[in-house]
């Protein structure tokens, strides 16, 4: 599922990215940040640990709706029967009067009709990764033996829709597809995608630069502005685009639902062996919170270490960010991307700053006008 889920607001009081097969995957996407965590063997969460996690997750959540987010690697490698066990355990341990909601983030290649029937019956929300047109998708999203995946991913997306599964497309924007904003947008409109997220690719290098496939910041901003203008002209009411929804939330005085734009940073990741980390972009010893076999999930989420990690996002904002007119719309972006220096040569500025500033400045008059109309309608 997408980072910090929410074009449809699935966000509960907290969110965990649970990885039932760890980093194991049937693809070898060139830009995958998580594949290096693969441990060289088949990893799969044991049944007794899976049940313990589900119990602890339900107990930790005080909302009436309990959200589970299943990630990888490729979580579908846990198997259809594995996910049937997940749902059975959730139903077994869900208290009366509460509701379970599941999301799964997948490349889609394993989703046959039986999978889709299950996902529809159990009301899963599915995020499927497609990077736009065939020629740009297949640049980076290939199988272990180098074969293209675009046709199979699109086929799986269409199969999900035929079965009535609530589905979102996630498009990684890199140095190639960022040059074709209208072609990318029209591709997804042609698929009649109801929900769409754009995820900018930023891959830091040891020398302080980024890889050549990373999206240039200014081009990222121009991409978003171009798509936004096209969406205003013909897409409103037909397609929801996550970053546009996030921009609107700030104008309505709502907290962001997407983690990268929130003031705090609190979406821990659970590995297949029970290890919990502050974030799946920070799965290193310094961000290891503990293991749910030894410490309850609720205690790890509320631990001083995780709370400090969460607060650090706002506390480490540069003065340039704090003085920015659109800081409320991005809150400095994802901490993992704060790899460049400010105009006064201080570290900690987001690599995508110029792009986000360009886009949020561009769209702000529209979202504020919409907010004013809404306020008048409430009087």
């Amino acid at each position: 599922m997408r980072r910090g889920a929410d074009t449809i607001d699935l966000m509960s009081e907290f969110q965990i990215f649970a990885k039932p097969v760890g980093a194991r995957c049937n693809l070898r996407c060139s830009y995958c940040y998580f594949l290096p965590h693969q441990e060289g063997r088949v990893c799969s969460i044991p049944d007794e640990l899976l049940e313990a996690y589900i119990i602890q997750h339900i107990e930790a959540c005080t909302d009436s709706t309990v959200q589970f987010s299943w990630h990888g690697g490729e979580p579908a490698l846990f198997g259809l029967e594995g996910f049937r066990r997940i749902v059975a355990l959730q139903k077994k341990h869900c208290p009366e009067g509460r509701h379970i909601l599941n999301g799964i983030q997948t490349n889609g290649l394993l989703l046959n009709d039986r999978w889709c029937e299950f996902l529809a019956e159990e009301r899963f929300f599915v995020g499927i990764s497609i990077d736009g047109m065939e020629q740009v998708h297949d640049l980076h999203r290939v199988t272990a033996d180098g074969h293209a995946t675009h046709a199979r991913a699109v086929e799986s997306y269409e199969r999900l829709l035929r079965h009535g599964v609530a589905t979102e497309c996630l498009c990684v924007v890199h140095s190639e597809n960022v040059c074709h904003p209208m072609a990318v947008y029209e591709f997804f409109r042609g698929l009649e995608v109801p929900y769409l997220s754009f995820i900018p690719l930023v891959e830091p290098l040891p020398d302080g630069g980024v890889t050549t496939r990373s999206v240039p910041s200014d081009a990222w901003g121009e991409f978003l502005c171009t798509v936004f203008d096209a969406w205003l002209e013909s897409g409103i009411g037909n397609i929801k685009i996550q970053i546009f929804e996030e921009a609107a939330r700030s104008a309505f005085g709502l907290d962001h639902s997407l983690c990268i734009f929130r003031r705090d940073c609190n979406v821990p990741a659970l590995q297949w062996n029970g290890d919990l980390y502050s974030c799946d972009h920070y799965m290193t010893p310094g961000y290891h919170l503990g293991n749910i076999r030894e410490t309850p999930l609720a205690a790890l989420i509320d631990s001083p270490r995780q709370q400090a990690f969460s607060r650090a996002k706002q506390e480490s904002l540069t003065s340039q960010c704090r003085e920015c007119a659109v800081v409320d719309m991005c809150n400095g972006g994802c901490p993992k991307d704060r790899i460049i220096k400010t105009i006064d040569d201080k570290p900690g500025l987001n690599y995508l700053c110029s792009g986000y500033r360009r886009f949020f400045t561009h769209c702000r008059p529209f979202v504020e006008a919409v907010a004013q109309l809404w306020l008048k309608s409430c009087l």
Side-chain angles (χ1 to χ4, degrees):
M1 207 166 179
R2 58 216 140 140
R3 292 207 50 75
D6 287 314
T7 300
I8 292 180
D9 192 355
L10 299 180
M11 194 134 183
S12 182
E13 61 179 351
F14 70 93
Q15 188 176 19
I16 304 290
F17 284 175
K19 301 173 180 288
V21 297
R24 188 153 55 97
C25 191
N26 53 339
L27 297 192
R28 292 298 180 270
C29 301
S30 60
Y31 53 59
C32 181
Y33 66 90
F34 200 64
L35 194 61
H37 293 282
Q38 176 64 29
E39 300 175 349
R41 59 195 175 95
V42 175
C43 303
S44 186
I45 188 169
D47 284 350
E48 77 280 0
L49 182 59
L50 176 64
E51 184 165 19
Y53 165 60
I54 288 171
I55 292 171
Q56 292 183 32
H57 188 112
I58 293 171
E59 290 177 346
C61 179
T62 59
D63 282 1
S64 59
T65 297
V66 185
Q67 178 193 340
F68 286 83
S69 298
W70 304 100
H71 280 245
E74 174 49 53
L77 287 171
F78 194 55
L80 178 54
E81 293 310 310
F83 272 88
R84 291 191 191 279
R85 291 199 303 276
I86 285 172
V87 170
L89 289 168
Q90 290 172 336
K91 291 177 179 178
K92 174 182 176 182
H93 295 290
C94 185
E96 186 176 350
R98 303 186 75 186
H99 173 63
I100 300 287
L101 186 63
N102 283 290
I104 182 172
Q105 172 59 42
T106 176
N107 58 48
L109 269 64
L110 298 174
L111 301 186
N112 55 24
D113 285 320
R114 290 182 63 239
W115 258 107
C116 292
E117 289 166 4
F118 164 79
L119 295 169
E121 181 179 354
E122 300 300 340
R123 301 173 66 96
F124 271 63
F125 186 86
V126 177
I128 186 168
S129 297
I130 303 176
D131 287 354
M133 308 83 71
E134 180 178 7
Q135 62 270 31
V136 291
H137 174 99
D138 287 337
L139 281 173
H140 301 298
R141 300 191 65 81
V142 296
T143 62
D145 53 2
H147 286 99
T149 64
H150 185 266
R152 294 170 64 188
V154 171
E155 181 183 359
S156 292
Y157 167 75
E158 293 173 339
R159 182 179 292 114
L160 286 163
L161 290 195
R162 286 198 302 272
H163 284 273
V165 180
T167 306
E168 176 191 33
C169 284
L170 289 86
C171 173
V172 173
V173 181
H174 47 71
S175 59
E176 294 293 331
N177 57 2
V178 75
C179 301
H180 308 284
M182 284 306 301
V184 171
Y185 177 61
E186 291 299 338
F187 167 79
F188 286 111
R189 285 197 68 199
L191 286 182
E192 299 183 349
V193 170
Y195 307 106
L196 177 61
S197 286
F198 293 120
I199 303 170
L201 178 63
V202 181
E203 296 179 308
L205 292 172
D207 65 1
V210 296
T211 63
T212 56
R213 60 181 172 242
S214 296
V215 62
S217 181
D218 289 344
W220 169 237
E222 191 60 33
F223 176 95
L224 293 174
C225 290
T226 300
V227 174
F228 180 76
D229 289 345
W231 175 80
L232 280 184
E233 184 175 335
S234 60
I236 293 180
N238 298 318
I239 179 171
K240 292 187 176 181
I241 299 178
Q242 186 181 36
I243 191 168
F244 302 168
E245 303 251 310
E246 290 298 320
R249 293 181 76 92
S250 63
F252 282 90
L254 301 173
D255 288 339
H256 286 290
S257 60
L258 182 61
C259 64
I260 63 172
F261 296 140
R262 291 180 65 88
R263 287 175 57 84
D264 56 6
C265 191
N266 193 19
V267 184
L270 182 76
Q271 265 285 36
W272 66 277
N273 62 356
D275 286 334
L276 190 72
Y277 292 85
S278 292
C279 169
D280 70 346
H281 284 286
Y282 291 88
M283 296 189 73
T284 57
Y287 297 95
H288 180 234
L289 301 173
N291 191 291
I292 64 168
R293 291 183 187 272
E294 302 160 358
T295 308
L297 180 66
L300 294 176
I301 294 171
D302 291 335
S303 67
R305 177 180 288 187
Q306 181 61 11
Q307 295 307 305
F309 177 85
S310 178
R311 292 193 307 270
K313 181 179 181 182
Q314 187 65 207
E315 293 172 352
S316 63
L317 273 182
T318 66
S319 58
Q320 182 174 328
C321 287
R322 295 179 191 278
E323 296 165 5
C324 179
V326 293
V327 64
D328 60 320
M329 299 181 99
C330 80
N331 284 301
C334 184
K336 75 175 180 64
D337 296 333
R338 296 179 180 181
I339 59 174
I340 63 173
K341 293 185 177 181
T342 64
I343 54 176
D344 56 353
D345 205 37
K346 299 292 176 60
L349 187 67
N350 196 301
Y351 166 81
L352 297 169
C353 174
S354 64
Y356 281 133
R357 188 172 63 250
R358 165 92 168 87
F359 167 67
F360 286 127
T361 300
H362 179 76
C363 74
R364 187 158 204 163
F366 170 78
V367 297
E368 289 182 342
V370 171
Q372 288 299 316
L373 288 173
W374 179 79
L375 285 173
K376 288 180 180 179
S377 72
C378 295
L379 296 178

